[in-house]
């Protein structure tokens, strides 16, 4: 696999970039586990070393920050059951997205050693889905891409979003309330280290949605967004290198079709893992003080749509 760091290279990068200290990892993990065991609403969350280490790395080993993220991540899981509660990859819903291949973690790593995820928004058929399904499956796929991926956790990720086939129908799908919710979860609750977002084959029709999404991002992320005009991959190749990119994007990492096949096999091989993930979440009824509600996390507009239906 290309650009895979050796154990010693990874340790050096983790130390330099994240302050990871091999001798302290064990005690940091124990501190988190002790805290979880004393926190009534978090007793049922996932707490294996590999999972907790993702949070420590994503928070540069700040224990306080890691606790906050773990708490919010698990509160999101219990507050948005329609996104986290039904990860059945054999279901028609998941099969539909796997068939479209709109979310593809690329094999290997880029020239800086970062993990690259290719999103192809234009492959989604808007008349057959909605923004909630898109976000739900993307979060599920993202979790598997991060699982047991030490290098991705340490070096961070680069997201490529190919908007080449996107139409006005795609733009209409992006309801601001849902988009904000998705970005809040990804930005605030996940221990991700997004390093860059490249928007490829940018059509004018998505400019409005892009501007709206930019408004929900924190300053650091806004600066990491790069827009590329149709068919121009020069700057992308400069940033990530050709080895990690599929042939269709000027790279040498096999065809999109091959990458999609491999990814579908990986997802299906993890069907039991996916089912298991759905049980991990906070029990808000046991949170000391007041439960963290949907409105606490996402702001009040998150509950408007529900009111109209009732």
């Amino acid at each position: 696999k290309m650009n895979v760091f050796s154990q010693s290279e990874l340790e050096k990068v983790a130390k330099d970039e994240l302050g990871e200290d091999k001798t302290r990892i064990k005690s940091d993990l124990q501190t988190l586990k002790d805290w979880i065991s004393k926190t009534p609403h978090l007793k049922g969350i996932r707490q294996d070393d590999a999972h907790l280490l993702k949070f420590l790395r994503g928070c540069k080993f700040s224990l306080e920050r890691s606790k906050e993220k773990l708490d919010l991540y698990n509160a999101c899981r219990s507050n948005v059951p329609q996104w986290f509660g039904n990860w059945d990859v054999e279901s028609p819903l998941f099969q539909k997205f796997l068939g479209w291949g709109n979310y593809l973690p690329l094999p290997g790593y880029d020239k800086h050693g970062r993990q690259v995820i290719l999103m192809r928004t234009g492959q989604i058929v808007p008349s057959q889905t909605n923004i909630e399904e898109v976000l739900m499956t993307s979060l599920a796929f993202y979790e598997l891409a991060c699982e047991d991926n030490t290098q991705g956790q340490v070096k961070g990720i680069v997201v490529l979003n190919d908007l080449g086939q996107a139409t006005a129908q795609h733009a209409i799908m992006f309801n601001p309330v849902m988009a904000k919710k998705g970005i809040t979860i990804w930005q605030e609750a996940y221990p991700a280290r997004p390093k860059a977002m490249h928007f490829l084959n940018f059509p004018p029709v998505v400019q409005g949605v892009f501007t709206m999404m930019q408004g929900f991002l924190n300053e650091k992320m806004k600066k990491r967004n790069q827009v590329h005009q149709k068919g121009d991959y020069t700057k992308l190749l400069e940033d990530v290198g050709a080895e990690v990119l599929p042939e269709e994007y000027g790279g040498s990492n096999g065809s999109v079709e091959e990458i999609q096949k491999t990814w579908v096999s990986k997802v299906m091989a993890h069907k039991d893992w996916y089912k298991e993930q759905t049980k991990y979440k906070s029990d808000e009824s046991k949170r000391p003080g007041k439960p963290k509600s949907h409105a606490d996390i996402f702001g009040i507009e998150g509950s408007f749509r529900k009111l109209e239906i009732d």
Side-chain angles (χ1 to χ4, degrees):
K1 263 191 166 181
M2 96 271 313
N3 301 321
V4 173
F5 284 28
S6 69
Q7 190 60 35
S8 60
E9 280 177 305
L10 261 184
E11 280 173 14
K12 187 182 181 324
V13 175
K15 188 168 185 276
D16 296 346
E17 291 188 19
L18 307 177
E20 185 166 321
D21 175 353
K22 236 168 82 174
T23 59
R24 224 185 57 218
I25 288 179
K26 220 174 155 171
S27 67
D28 282 348
L29 288 168
Q30 197 49 54
T31 304
L32 284 181
K33 286 176 191 172
D34 292 345
W35 167 73
I36 292 167
S37 74
K38 296 188 188 86
T39 309
H41 61 288
L42 295 181
K43 290 208 168 126
I45 70 170
R46 191 177 153 190
Q47 40 193 299
D48 53 284
D49 288 357
H51 187 64
L52 297 180
L53 196 46
K54 274 187 256 183
F55 284 83
L56 285 167
R57 285 185 177 131
C59 300
K60 296 193 170 175
F61 287 83
S62 152
L63 284 164
E64 281 319 300
R65 189 82 193 88
S66 302
K67 289 175 187 176
E68 280 169 24
K69 271 230 187 228
L70 265 170
D71 192 15
L72 181 58
Y73 169 84
N74 286 288
C76 288
R77 294 185 77 91
S78 71
N79 268 290
V80 194
Q82 64 276 33
W83 291 8
F84 294 102
N86 189 18
W87 285 1
D88 174 6
V89 294
E90 291 177 301
S91 67
L93 192 161
F94 270 89
Q95 288 300 310
K96 177 171 68 179
F97 282 89
L98 288 168
W100 288 334
N102 63 297
Y103 195 100
L104 300 173
L106 302 179
Y109 300 90
D110 79 353
K111 68 179 192 184
H112 302 290
R114 304 170 299 186
Q115 181 183 9
V116 183
I117 292 171
L118 170 64
M119 291 165 73
R120 299 183 305 152
T121 300
Q123 297 300 312
I124 294 166
V125 181
S127 62
Q128 294 174 23
T129 186
N130 58 51
I131 178 82
E132 292 213 62
E133 291 185 351
V134 175
L135 292 165
M136 186 249 275
T137 51
S138 299
L139 288 168
F141 294 150
Y142 176 67
E143 294 235 5
L144 180 57
C146 296
E147 188 72 4
D148 302 325
N149 187 347
T150 302
Q151 184 168 327
Q153 293 164 29
V154 169
K155 285 300 297 177
I157 60 165
V158 175
V159 177
L160 318 179
N161 195 344
D162 182 357
L163 298 159
Q165 310 294 314
T167 62
Q169 296 320 112
H170 288 92
I172 292 163
M173 278 174 73
F174 280 79
N175 144 343
V177 171
M178 289 303 142
K180 177 170 187 250
K181 194 155 136 179
I183 288 178
T184 301
I185 291 176
W186 195 61
Q187 195 170 248
E188 310 298 333
Y190 272 79
R193 304 191 61 238
K195 292 298 185 186
M197 272 191 98
H198 291 275
F199 294 87
L200 310 173
N201 299 311
F202 198 83
V205 70
V206 298
Q207 184 60 55
V209 171
F210 179 75
T211 308
M212 170 186 85
M213 300 290 247
Q214 283 280 79
F216 301 145
L217 290 171
N218 60 34
E219 284 311 309
K220 200 155 85 179
M221 269 319 296
K222 274 184 202 161
K223 291 194 183 81
R224 293 177 178 179
N225 279 348
Q226 296 181 46
V227 171
H228 307 265
Q229 296 316 310
K230 203 164 184 56
D232 181 5
Y233 301 133
T234 349
K235 287 265 191 300
L236 174 67
L237 282 157
E238 270 171 37
D239 185 36
V240 301
E243 303 139 309
V244 77
L245 291 172
E247 289 152 7
E248 290 87 340
Y249 296 86
S252 54
N253 199 2
S255 69
V256 166
E257 193 184 348
E258 290 162 353
I259 292 167
Q260 183 175 354
K261 274 201 184 113
T262 309
W263 174 241
V264 170
S265 307
K266 180 171 180 172
V267 171
M268 296 320 290
H270 284 81
K271 63 179 191 194
D272 295 334
W273 178 85
Y274 267 120
K275 288 205 171 114
E276 193 194 331
Q277 301 314 303
T278 59
K279 67 179 194 223
Y280 299 121
K281 54 187 180 200
S282 66
D283 178 350
E284 290 302 325
S285 68
K286 296 200 167 91
R287 183 185 287 270
K290 182 174 156 289
K292 225 187 189 74
S293 74
H294 193 286
D296 291 333
I297 302 174
F298 303 110
I300 200 71
E301 75 270 25
S303 29
F304 282 170
R305 252 189 58 219
K306 194 171 172 318
L307 293 175
E308 288 161 10
I309 298 162
D310 294 346

